[in-house]
Amino acid sequence: MKVKIAPSIMCCDFIKLEECIKNFEKVGVDYIHFDVMDGHFVPNFTMGADILRSIRAITKIPIDIHLMVEHPENFIDMFEPREGDMISVHLESTYHIQKVLKYIKDKGCRASIALNPGTPICMIEDVIDVIDAVLIMTVNPGFAGQQLVPRTLQKISRLREMLDNEYGFNDVEIEVDGSVTYDNARKMKSAGANIFVVGTSSVLNKDVDFFQAYKNLQKSIA
């Protein structure tokens, strides 16, 4: 399964946002990860639809929209999703998760279900036929710069085993988000992840050169 990299725009210097996106284009990232937080589902509040419109105006890179919000069905159209985008919604965030995932698919987007560290992977089995990916949160969502929850590495392995051998959905991708350092990324890849949301723990650390850091990341997950 192809390895994909999705830098988190939340971790960019917003004064240099256009430069940041141009750098993403130069290295050929697969997605721009776009975190949406409502201050209720997670204890933080981040980027809105106007910021996403500004990003879309200067790049054609697909957007990986991560809705950390209550009732995500009320937000999807607000962000004007395009074919090729991916949208992740949390299992606990809505009463009718299957309906929301199918709506995302009907919009021409890839549908992903997000699992917090404490959400068991067995919860996805009745929607496995409508998802393209599973987003494993390797930290508790809400803030950048957290430490890896160690047991999530086993969770990735168990999920890959379940998708491939129990259910026969070996085309469903596994995305990881949180503390994706070079070393952790290598371990996550070995466990079965193939989409890596990266930020301040690696390529978007303000104290390192982006291009060298990106090369280092690619080596760690090659």
Side-chain angles (χ1 to χ4, degrees), residues 152-162 174 190-192:
T152 56
L153 292 173
Q154 298 175 38
K155 190 174 188 176
I156 297 164
S157 297
R158 288 186 289 113
L159 175 61
R160 190 72 269 164
E161 171 71 17
M162 184 182 89
I174 298 178
S190 296

Side-chain angles (χ1 to χ4, degrees), residues 196-217:
F196 299 86
V197 178
V198 291
T200 56
S201 297
S202 55
V203 302
L204 294 175
N205 185 316
K206 62 182 177 60
D207 296 322
V208 301
D209 175 73
F210 170 77
F211 296 101
Q212 184 58 53
Y214 196 84
K215 287 179 182 177
N216 293 340
L217 176 67

Side-chain angles (χ1 to χ4, degrees), residues 142-170:
F143 297 92
Q146 298 183 64
Q147 296 297 306
L148 177 79
V149 176
R151 191 168 174 79
T152 56
L153 292 173
Q154 298 175 38
K155 190 174 188 176
I156 297 164
S157 297
R158 288 186 289 113
L159 175 61
R160 190 72 269 164
E161 171 71 17
M162 184 182 89
L163 290 169
D164 292 351
N165 299 322
E166 280 189 56
Y167 296 106
F169 282 87
N170 56 6

